[in-house]
Amino acid sequence: MTDRNIAHDNGRTWWKHGVVYQIYPRSFYDSNNDGIGDIRGITGKLDYLAWLGVDAIWLSPIYSSPMHDFGYDISDYRTVDPIFGTLADFDELLKYAHRKSIRVIMDLVINHTSHMHPWFLESRLSKGNPKRDWYIWRDGNDGKEPNNWMSVFGGSSWTFDPVTSQYYLHSFLEEQPDLNWRNPELRKAVFSDIRFWLDRGVDGFRIDVVNWFMKDRFFRDNPSLFGIKKLQRHIFDRNRDETQGVIRELRGLINTYENRMLVGEVFSLPPGDPSLSARFLGDGSDSLHLAFDFSLIYRFWNARMYYKCVRRWMKKIPDGGWPCHVLSNHDQRRSASRYGHDDDGPKREKIAAALLLTMKGTPFIYYGEEIGMRNGQIPRDRIVDPLGKRYRPFYAGRDLQRTPMQWDDTLNAGFSESEPWLPVNSDYRKTNVDIEKNDRHSILRFYRALLELRRKKKSLYSGEWKPVIKGRRGVIAYYRTAGDETVFVALNFTAKTSHIHIRDHAQWKVCVSTHRSSREHFTDLDITLNPHEATIIERIGEL
Ligand code: TEU
Ligand code: CA
């Protein structure tokens, strides 16, 4: 693979210095007009992704699946679901993506499989089946579930199977039985499936619920949380230290290939403590390359809180580890919907984008975030997410953040010529790629400018982070430095002007800004920030 730029250090550190774009394949682009996005659809949009300037794409699962959880229930790790295309389509995507220096990361869902995976079909046949121990089976406790563990999708984690009169464990849906990671044969089988994709040339994996693999050997009851019976502290079915052993083994496998990476979804509730994620970074070479911290996703719009979140995360990163940052994903409300629906919303999107793309650490962009896509409106009878079906009308589920990508203002936002699997957001006539490409002030053009700057500036893609203003009066400001290159980032989270004055006797010039032209120069950091201004300047000399 040829590299577009120096940010890649001959490919070895692309995952540190690049930017990853998450694609929910069902919703990106439909190449054959059956209403569902597919692999060829992604291949067809590689030019767009290269124009935008991302370095890698992560695909939510495209493997064979009965789709009870839209692909997060896998029935065969080595095939592509026909809804998305064929293995040949995938190889073609990989080839063309690599030609454009875009890496491809797959989702790896190995805490559980589908209940239709041949391993589980065998496992449930009899207690003596050789694959019995590949899943987690237990006798009932006085005619009830083996213990009190609760599924994140509601109800008990145990389902009774009349075939052998035992219960099996499922941390999610009953159609998603948990694998038994204590079984060495199971480990071998999964690792060999992983090798299948590494050998094809995929550049890495995003690992689903990486902190849930190992369960307590004694199946002890979880204690309750806040004294509420239905809420649990998941100390026995999640977050077990033993899981690190599995990850270390997996990293060992990954290390036998060149330039591949692992990013883990460390999911815990209640959210907000990054130390768990940090533990998965090990010493930088023995565990995951990257681990998500979702703290920002759960914060209200407030400079002080945002600063604290980022600071806490940065402080936890172990020596040799590397941070990453994310504003949204397919499970969470879209970031643009969190910043408010008044006129300030779109301005805040730009502030958040500037933070995401100028921080130290690998940024992840959720498809559509770059055009300011918001949560969709899904009528009750169109809800398909199992969570939405279970909890509506109190919680509409995750369909809202998975609506089709808005390409242009034609039928179905240019996503498909047929009725899409989820309705297109009604704002698609003004929020779409086509319109925003031609609008200098659009959020899309702002993302693109930031991505371009980040690629050019070593201080941004690999430098140190030195915070200066830590949320005081609604402003976050920091230096990014590498060698003698220095960039200064100023973000005004509020609707009021704010004055910064740091007497550093240096000369500065604007790189990217929501309010200023690149011709503007400063002497000293003497800037009056406009309401909702994000400005990035570079040091060009001494006074
Ligand atoms: O998510 C883990 C997870 O716990 C979330 O599902 C979360 O609880 C939920 O979205 C409520 O916000 C991963 C995947 O990202 C998710 O899409 C899958 O449904 C889940 O694992 C099971 O594989
Ligand atoms: Ca299709």
Side-chain angles (χ1 to χ4, degrees):
M1 194 183 327
T2 55
D3 280 308
R4 258 193 308 229
N5 53 63
I6 51 158
H8 294 93
D9 183 22
N10 292 326
R12 258 179 304 122
T13 47
W14 67 270
W15 55 270
K16 271 189 173 175
H17 303 157
V19 176
V20 186
Y21 184 93
Q22 181 192 355
I23 290 178
Y24 197 68
R26 292 181 84 83
S27 302
F28 200 57
Y29 184 69
D30 177 16
S31 74
N32 62 349
N33 293 310
D34 63 354
I36 300 178
D38 43 54
I39 295 171
R40 285 171 155 248
I42 300 169
T43 311
K45 292 296 183 184
L46 284 172
D47 281 340
Y48 167 71
L49 296 166
W51 172 84
L52 180 62
V54 300
D55 302 271
I57 51 178
W58 143 32
L59 311 181
S60 276
I62 53 166
Y63 314 89
S64 291
S65 165
M67 303 287 170
H68 289 279
D69 190 17
F70 295 98
Y72 284 88
D73 49 325
I74 297 169
S75 55
D76 181 353
Y77 289 105
R78 296 192 186 215
T79 55
V80 164
D81 197 278
I83 284 183
F84 297 120
T86 63
L87 207 47
D89 293 336
F90 179 80
D91 288 338
E92 190 183 63
L93 167 63
L94 201 57
K95 187 172 86 190
Y96 286 117
H98 283 175
R99 270 195 204 158
K100 291 186 190 294
S101 295
I102 294 176
R103 267 117 172 146
V104 180
I105 298 165
M106 294 189 79
D107 219 305
L108 191 61
V109 190
I110 50 177
N111 172 71
H112 45 270
T113 67
S114 158
H115 68 317
M116 297 306 283
H117 195 296
W119 298 342
F120 187 71
L121 295 179
E122 267 193 60
S123 184
R124 82 192 308 177
L125 283 178
S126 70
K127 287 185 180 171
N129 188 282
K131 294 210 170 53
R132 183 64 168 185
D133 188 47
W134 288 29
Y135 292 84
I136 300 172
W137 294 96
R138 304 286 287 173
D139 285 329
N141 194 351
D142 272 346
K144 289 205 299 270
E145 290 81 18
N147 65 20
N148 75 349
W149 294 357
M150 300 223 310
S151 151
V152 67
F153 286 175
S156 168
S157 295
W158 298 97
T159 287
F160 183 74
D161 193 33
V163 183
T164 51
S165 293
Q166 276 194 321
Y167 290 81
Y168 67 87
L169 183 77
H170 54 87
S171 297
F172 295 88
L173 299 174
E174 64 177 70
E175 291 87 358
Q176 293 168 299
D178 281 36
L179 287 165
N180 177 16
W181 276 93
R182 292 185 191 277
N183 183 298
E185 273 134 51
L186 173 272
R187 276 194 200 197
K188 248 171 87 186
V190 173
F191 281 21
S192 128
D193 285 350
I194 292 172
R195 234 180 257 119
F196 173 85
W197 294 100
L198 291 169
D199 291 338
R200 291 200 109 71
V202 308
D203 299 283
F205 298 98
R206 172 268 186 190
I207 310 177
D208 197 58
V209 287
V210 69
N211 52 323
W212 298 31
F213 291 2
M214 290 289 243
K215 279 70 184 185
D216 178 43
R217 198 184 280 282
F218 308 107
F219 294 91
R220 284 169 282 189
D221 276 348
N222 283 323
S224 68
L225 180 66
F226 310 133
I228 302 168
K229 214 174 159 210
K230 287 219 157 176
L231 293 181
Q232 306 192 334
R233 285 180 57 214
H234 288 274
I235 57 175
F236 290 121
D237 55 347
R238 304 175 195 168
N239 305 331
R240 310 288 304 160
D241 278 340
E242 296 156 288
T243 300
Q244 302 287 347
V246 181
I247 305 307
R248 271 196 294 275
E249 227 177 280
L250 184 52
R251 177 63 184 260
L253 167 66
I254 295 292
N255 283 349
T256 64
Y257 291 79
E258 252 184 5
N259 306 342
R260 315 297 168 96
M261 80 98 145
L262 298 172
V263 51
E265 181 209 23
V266 180
F267 196 91
S268 72
L269 287 171
D273 178 11
S275 34
L276 184 67
S277 298
R279 263 199 272 151
F280 280 88
L281 298 176
D283 70 6
S285 64
D286 60 346
S287 192
L288 300 176
H289 297 75
L290 301 172
F292 289 121
D293 164 56
F294 295 130
S295 311
L296 276 184
I297 290 181
Y298 298 102
R299 287 294 166 275
F300 290 113
W301 188 257
N302 175 292
R304 184 95 200 125
M305 303 246 249
Y306 267 57
Y307 172 77
K308 275 191 176 165
C309 265
V310 170
R311 176 79 202 174
R312 216 172 347 163
W313 178 216
M314 299 299 281
K315 270 195 160 158
K316 294 282 179 196
I317 303 297
D319 291 345
W322 187 254
C324 66
H325 306 283
V326 60
L327 301 176
S328 191
N329 64 38
H330 64 292
D331 294 331
Q332 308 295 336
R333 199 141 76 96
R334 280 191 173 272
S335 50
S337 296
R338 299 199 307 264
Y339 306 143
H341 285 271
D342 53 6
D343 286 349
D344 285 353
K347 298 174 188 159
R348 292 172 172 182
E349 282 167 43
K350 287 187 181 172
I351 306 291
L355 177 73
L356 175 75
L357 297 173
T358 61
M359 270 303 295
K360 175 179 178 179
T362 308
F364 282 72
I365 299 172
Y366 183 48
Y367 86 93
E369 182 183 303
E370 77 278 20
I371 55 169
M373 257 176 81
R374 290 166 170 265
N375 268 20
Q377 314 77 19
I378 315 281
R380 226 173 203 254
D381 61 336
R382 293 282 306 266
I383 292 179
V384 290
D385 175 34
L387 272 185
K389 282 183 166 170
R390 185 173 175 127
Y391 291 113
R392 74 192 162 194
F394 309 104
Y395 171 54
R398 301 167 295 180
D399 297 328
L400 290 73
Q401 53 262 34
R402 299 173 178 178
T403 60
M405 178 69 175
Q406 294 159 209
W407 294 105
D408 57 39
D409 64 3
T410 65
L411 178 73
N412 302 322
F415 163 75
S416 173
E417 282 168 26
S418 310
E419 179 71 20
W421 74 288
L422 283 176
V424 169
N425 191 316
S426 60
D427 69 5
Y428 77 93
R429 283 196 186 82
K430 61 175 190 12
T431 301
N432 66 59
V433 171
D434 193 42
I435 283 184
E436 294 186 29
K437 251 187 164 175
N438 300 314
D439 171 3
R440 276 194 316 127
H441 302 292
S442 67
I443 178 89
L444 176 60
R445 291 276 292 268
F446 191 62
Y447 261 86
R448 183 168 183 258
L450 287 166
L451 284 162
E452 195 184 4
L453 180 69
R454 189 183 170 92
R455 222 165 29 241
K456 281 199 295 224
K457 296 274 172 238
K458 190 162 197 249
S459 56
L460 289 180
Y461 66 73
S462 73
E464 287 312 310
W465 178 66
K466 294 180 189 151
V468 187
I469 301 173
K470 308 174 176 181
R472 206 165 57 91
R473 279 192 272 135
V475 173
I476 297 180
Y478 44 86
Y479 293 102
R480 296 294 315 279
T481 58
D484 51 16
E485 186 183 289
T486 301
V487 161
F488 183 78
V489 179
L491 309 170
N492 183 357
F493 276 59
T494 73
K496 292 192 205 120
T497 55
S498 197
H499 190 222
I500 297 179
H501 192 186
I502 301 169
R503 289 174 186 82
D504 66 350
H505 308 294
Q507 286 183 299
W508 298 84
K509 147 182 176 308
V510 172
C511 301
V512 170
S513 170
T514 49
H515 287 74
R516 294 168 203 275
S517 101
S518 55
R519 283 185 302 273
E520 243 182 282
H521 284 62
F522 303 91
T523 304
D524 277 358
L525 283 167
D526 187 2
I527 313 166
T528 301
L529 289 175
N530 294 287
H532 298 114
E533 173 170 347
T535 284
I536 298 136
I537 59 182
E538 70 176 308
R539 194 184 171 117
I540 49 171
E542 300 301 312
L543 201 59

